[in-house]
Amino acid sequence: MNTAANAITTSRWTWRDTLGVYLREAEYQFRTVLRTPGFALPTLLFPTMFYVFFGLVFGKPGDDQIATFMLATYGTFGIMAPALFGFGVGVAMERERGILAMKRVAPMPPMAYLFAKAAMAMLFALVIVLLLFVLGAVFGGVALPRSEWWLLVIALVFGTLPFSALGLVVGVHVNGQASTAIVNLIYLPMSFLAGLWVPLQFLPRWLQGFAAALPAYHLSQLALGIIHADARGPVAAHLAYLVIFTAVCLALAVRGWRRIQDR
Amino acid sequence: MNAIAALSLADLPAAAAAPARLEGAVKRYGAVTALDGIDLEVRRGELLALLGPNGAGKTTAISLLLGLAWPTRGRAEIFGRAPRDIAARRRTGAMLQGAQLGGHARVEEMIALYSGYYPDPLPLTETLRLAGLEDAAKRPVAKLSGGQQQRLRFALAICGDPELLFLDEPTAGMDVEARRILWAAVRGLKQQGRSIVLTTHYLEEADALADRIVVIHHGRVIADGSPADIKRTVAQRRIRCVTSLNEGQIVNLPGVTRIERSGDRTDIVAAHPEAVLREMLRLDPELHDLEVTGARLEEAFLSLTQDSSAKEGA
């Protein structure tokens, strides 16, 4: 009798419970990633180091134009990493280890998994952007109106989304061991070709043509536009590119996901 | 009576549906047929063991019921719903084979995360106790031994206090002590009225725990009965010898279920090897190169399938 009664009482579940699952999943994701020095350290250190070397030390002291310009480009470079590696390597590893299968069997809403990883990338992006802001303002003499600081934060934090989607495509298709190499092969050349390390006009002309095809280029142009640095092309075009790029990646990821779901 | 009063009308169909059901389920991977038309119903409150050699299709059957794979033909249902239905999965827990739990989470954090997926999870301390992980609660998952990892997988399966529990080869790689703890926990869950599906290739394990054993071989159900029934079938011996007796003489000996000849050797599967041998030695004093071994599970059930096809033919 008792067991029959128990069997019926388990069906209550509200949106609050679902929200709780999303938040706990994100918190768990963030907490475990923070304990992974191989992820957290390079993700936070590389962009700040690069910015210090090329934006602050390399430029003429007191030249706040370079420091301001590179805040946008190294900011873009910085926020790509947690998105690309978090999804690309994270999903590939968890898929290979059977963790994904366990989560699919447990009553976890699949979107909670994606939400957690996307939120983790955004939080890391926020920390990276704030680190660069402090460095730029204190040592590079970067001074921006408050509205531009805010807009830049928003652009770079939400700018993780296209790269999260791209990382997901990698994570769904590539095995765990290969994933780090593949992500690096996407991340580093893309950063260079999009003009994140060295401004585009200093690249050979024939190399400059690749930039327009890359999401990193369009995000960095958006960021440059916000701070009234030397941006090319209309804002709407960059935004449209990023939205379409994200949608295409998600479609590819869903197709790949369907294929591996039926094991 | 109270329980019946507590049922609302909307709950009735779900309450009446079997916890898990496969109907004519066929699963092919390319040219390989993993499941070849299986009908299986897990009844409420029973512990069902799926027994069979490696590669028989046990894990595939469970994968279909968990929504990890889709049947090529036929149906898989949990509580009358599709296995991917999240409401159905909130009443289900599963211990999968071979998931490598790693990463930088602690044991208790991981259990808390999985508990949170369910509406009425067990208290953390209770899950830890049932799985025998009290001393490892604060340890990083990556630092657990193989046996402890297996216990953690069990903990994650039961933490939601599910009505229906799947355990795919739960004691593989466990030492005797860990196996004892897990068996005790499984028995406890059964006593609370949980429905449990367990796969194993150890008859001993199925016998120790199950109310009912379904034997799967080459993707088909070849036997379905109580542990006593199944044991009687499996408790056969294989007699191998060189003898001049012909098949007609042997087949009529008591308890012989199967005869095979290759070269000058004769293989006989029989329930009572002593009686068979006594008779054979009387008829053929020249009988030599004698060997008596336990019939492998597969052999025991091969004779069983032949029995059933003979009956159908008659």
Side-chain angles (χ1 to χ4, degrees), chain B residues 83-138:
Chain B
R84 294 302 305 152
D85 183 291
I86 194 155
R89 279 189 292 142
R90 287 201 180 104
R91 301 162 70 182
T92 307
M95 180 174 176
L96 300 181
Q97 241 184 105
Q100 296 166 268
L101 305 175
H104 294 260
R106 299 182 206 292
V107 167
E108 58 181 9
E109 288 170 346
M110 195 172 221
I111 295 176
L113 179 74
Y114 277 72
S115 297
Y117 298 147
Y118 292 89
D120 287 307
L122 295 175
L124 179 64
T125 49
E126 177 69 2
T127 304
L128 288 169
R129 190 185 63 79
L130 283 172
L133 280 171
E134 292 111 318
D135 299 335
K138 306 260 182 224

Side-chain angles (χ1 to χ4, degrees), chain B:
Chain B
M1 287 310 270
N2 280 339
I4 296 202
L7 289 173
S8 76
L9 272 179
D11 286 328
L12 272 174
R21 187 205 307 272
L22 287 177
E23 240 176 67
V26 173
K27 180 63 185 175
R28 291 201 187 91
Y29 294 100
V32 180
T33 301
L35 282 187
D36 195 9
I38 281 203
D39 293 301
L40 188 71
E41 184 176 312
V42 181
R43 295 163 202 151
R44 195 171 288 275
E46 86 173 338
L47 199 158
L48 173 70
L50 296 182
L51 181 67
N54 284 326
K58 307 183 297 283
T59 296
T60 306
I62 286 203
S63 293
L64 295 187
L65 287 171
L66 291 173
L68 286 174
W70 296 303
T72 312
R73 270 212 318 272
R75 287 159 65 85
E77 275 179 3
I78 297 280
F79 298 110
R81 295 162 184 252
R84 294 302 305 152
D85 183 291
I86 194 155
R89 279 189 292 142
R90 287 201 180 104
R91 301 162 70 182
T92 307
M95 180 174 176
L96 300 181
Q97 241 184 105
Q100 296 166 268
L101 305 175
H104 294 260
R106 299 182 206 292
V107 167
E108 58 181 9
E109 288 170 346
M110 195 172 221
I111 295 176
L113 179 74
Y114 277 72
S115 297
Y117 298 147
Y118 292 89
D120 287 307
L122 295 175
L124 179 64
T125 49
E126 177 69 2
T127 304
L128 288 169
R129 190 185 63 79
L130 283 172
L133 280 171
E134 292 111 318
D135 299 335
K138 306 260 182 224
R139 298 195 69 187
V141 173
K143 299 240 164 80
L144 296 181
S145 70
Q148 284 174 321
Q149 282 238 352
Q150 187 78 333
R151 289 188 220 178
L152 177 55
R153 263 171 273 184
F154 179 68
L156 298 178
I158 62 166
C159 67
D161 199 15
E163 289 166 66
L164 172 62
L165 182 62
F166 290 96
L167 303 171
D168 195 6
E169 311 258 347
T171 57
M174 275 189 178
D175 58 31
V176 180
E177 170 68 5
R179 183 171 303 191
R180 196 187 56 76
I181 291 175
L182 187 130
W183 282 11
V186 170
R187 284 202 188 95
L189 291 167
K190 194 179 88 174
Q191 267 162 20
Q192 291 168 26
R194 304 289 184 269
S195 315
I196 303 169
V197 182
L198 168 110
T199 71
T200 179
H201 50 261
Y202 302 119
L203 175 67
E204 183 206 0
E205 183 160 281
D207 182 37
L209 297 171
D211 303 311
R212 185 158 69 100
I213 299 179
V214 167
V215 182
I216 298 185
H217 188 59
H218 290 317
R220 290 170 172 275
V221 172
I222 59 168
D224 180 345
S226 68
D229 292 342
I230 302 295
K231 256 197 320 193
R232 208 170 303 128
T233 318
V234 181
Q236 303 198 71
R237 292 286 179 271
R238 162 190 275 257
I239 303 165
R240 171 173 286 189
C241 59
V242 177
T243 174
S244 56
L245 296 177
N246 62 38
E247 286 179 34
Q249 288 171 290
I250 300 170
V251 81
N252 288 323
L253 298 177
V256 171
T257 52
R258 185 174 164 80
I259 304 165
E260 241 171 55
R261 272 177 190 274
S262 58
D264 55 353
R265 272 196 337 239
T266 304
D267 279 18
I268 301 156
V269 177
H272 310 290
E274 298 85 356
V276 174
L277 273 173
R278 213 172 287 132
E279 199 61 13
M280 284 177 75
L281 285 165
R282 193 178 64 79
L283 295 170
D284 175 18
E286 302 293 297
L287 184 149
H288 60 281
D289 281 347
L290 174 65
E291 199 183 315
V292 180
T293 54
R296 277 173 297 140
L297 208 52
E298 288 178 57
E299 290 173 338
F301 289 114
L302 274 177
S303 62
L304 199 107
T305 42
Q306 286 185 340
D307 282 359
S308 60
S309 54
K311 267 177 225 153
E312 279 162 28

Side-chain angles (χ1 to χ4, degrees), chain A residues 10-144:
Chain A
T10 53
S11 50
R12 261 174 254 115
W13 186 271
T14 65
W15 64 270
R16 256 173 246 247
D17 296 310
T18 302
L19 184 67
V21 168
Y22 274 65
L23 294 179
R24 276 193 300 273
E25 195 71 33
E27 195 237 333
Y28 178 89
Q29 174 77 31
F30 192 66
R31 196 197 295 225
T32 52
V33 159
L34 270 187
R35 290 189 199 139
T36 315
F39 180 88
L41 280 181
T43 305
L44 297 177
L45 281 183
F46 279 152
T48 45
M49 204 170 67
F50 275 36
Y51 183 57
V52 168
F53 288 166
F54 297 104
L56 303 180
V57 179
F58 202 63
K60 277 173 271 170
D63 187 350
D64 61 317
Q65 257 194 312
I66 290 182
T68 306
F69 183 93
M70 291 202 165
L71 194 60
T73 53
Y74 279 110
T76 304
F77 172 69
I79 65 100
M80 287 164 70
L84 283 172
F85 286 94
F87 273 92
V89 179
V91 173
M93 290 284 198
E94 288 174 4
R95 181 165 59 81
E96 201 163 86
R97 290 197 186 136
I99 306 258
L100 220 51
M102 279 182 56
K103 287 192 177 276
R104 285 173 54 210
V105 165
M108 182 199 68
M111 290 307 286
Y113 178 78
L114 299 180
F115 169 81
K117 283 209 154 33
M120 189 275 297
M122 286 183 167
L123 205 54
F124 263 83
L126 181 65
V127 174
I128 290 163
V129 170
L130 293 180
L131 277 173
L132 296 187
F133 278 11
V134 169
L135 287 170
V138 174
F139 300 104
V142 177
L144 295 173

